[in-house]
Amino acid sequence: MTKKYDVDGIASSVEFGKNGPRIKDSSGLLQARDNADTVFVRMQGADSVVDDDLVTRRQLLASGGSLAGKSGNIYEDLQAYIDSADRNSYPGSGSTVTDILGNATSGSIVAPASFSEGAFQFNGTSGRIAFTKGAALDDIWDGGGTVLCFFRPNTDGEAGVGRFLDTSGGGGAGWTALTDNQAPDGTMRVRFTQSFSGVNGDWETTDTPLQRDTWNSVAVVYDSSSTGNVPSIYVNTSDEAISTNSSPTGSFDTDAGNPLNIGNRTADDRTTDGEIAIVLMFDRELSHTEIIQIHNLFQTRFPIGFRGKLARAAGVEGARYLIAGGDYSLGGRTAGSSGGEGG
């Protein structure tokens, strides 16, 4: 049975039904106040996905409209948005995965990759999610680009170099983002490569900031138009020191026509060991401040440093619902940015 609660401060209600929570105003649309203080409600339950009217693409922009190309908004020039917990991206079953913005098409989970507990699962031996990459995602780094994902590694993956994102295709022309050099304490480096006509560019974090068995946000910001450029790599918003394994020469190789792979490369021999939930791709260089803003928004859903699975909160009866962007009373209980209860 659906339950309704008044939400203080805005003329709307929260409904908790079989498909999860929804905030609606009198017209049935998601209600939010402004870009700086967006109402964000997300169910955090085992194997949960959210309904059409609570997808993150509406929560991100209080003014509504398209997620991409929003002048003056941090989501300007967003070209790909893949989200394991958005029904517009993945319905919770089957093999089809959709880029909400439509620039990566024909997305398919290649077994034994799978979906469980709110995220895409990779076993470190085989499997990937493969997309046909549209023109908007070709050469995303040319003139400056940003790729950001939320990632929970168990180890550094197959052969110690599991690729969580890859466009290298069968011939190696393209870019890769991978885990590398797992330390005895389980932490690991983030490594990024871009192929060039001469020597390929190959960089990695100097330290091992990526934590195993916990959620991390990883962002790469890079401009491939000059061989002198070095990528910035952010792990949980920290701008990491970068070590150069090889400096590129020549011109960057185009990845036009190559697939976008999540969790592996096409040859199926560099499998991620862990979970991936969100992939965002921009055709501009995001600032450090923008990286922090995106991290903070999604952190309410996948708490950074949360080592358990995305399941029920300890000691809470029923599923836990997280609300960010202000304090709202749900059925007499006050929920702030740290979360509230519903059921």
Side-chain angles (χ1 to χ4, degrees), residues 177-328:
L178 59 147
T179 50
D180 197 8
N181 286 304
Q182 182 171 320
D185 65 358
T187 59
M188 58 201 83
R189 295 177 182 173
V190 177
R191 184 175 166 192
F192 172 76
T193 71
Q194 166 68 57
S195 66
F196 278 73
S197 60
V199 176
N200 295 335
D202 187 338
W203 306 268
E204 63 185 349
T205 57
T206 302
D207 297 319
T208 55
L210 196 64
Q211 303 291 314
R212 63 173 295 181
D213 301 324
T214 185
W215 285 99
N216 300 262
S217 68
V218 179
V220 178
V221 181
Y222 179 57
D223 182 350
S224 62
S225 62
S226 171
T227 56
N229 291 336
V230 173
S232 296
I233 299 176
Y234 300 89
V235 178
N236 301 327
T237 75
S238 174
D239 188 357
E240 297 295 329
I242 300 299
S243 297
T244 299
N245 296 323
S246 62
S247 297
T249 62
S251 57
F252 73 87
D253 292 330
T254 181
D255 62 10
N258 290 353
L260 168 65
N261 287 312
I262 298 175
N264 209 333
R265 66 180 180 180
T266 301
D268 194 32
D269 59 357
R270 294 291 185 269
T271 317
T272 288
D273 179 14
E275 306 170 49
I276 299 173
I278 297 165
V279 175
L280 304 174
M281 298 176 67
F282 300 78
D283 62 359
R284 69 179 177 92
E285 296 178 82
L286 267 61
S287 68
H288 192 181
T289 297
E290 291 172 321
I291 297 293
I292 292 171
Q293 288 177 306
I294 295 173
H295 169 97
N296 289 343
L297 176 64
F298 284 106
Q299 187 180 10
T300 61
R301 182 174 130 203
F302 297 123
I304 305 304
F306 178 70
R307 291 185 176 274
K309 297 290 186 179
L310 295 176
R312 300 183 188 278
V316 175
E317 292 295 324
R320 183 183 184 193
Y321 299 89
L322 302 176
I323 295 181
D327 291 337
Y328 300 94

Side-chain angles (χ1 to χ4, degrees), residues 106-124:
S106 304
S108 180
I109 297 176
V110 180
S114 61
F115 171 85
S116 179
E117 297 173 322
F120 299 120
Q121 309 283 328
F122 303 90
N123 66 7

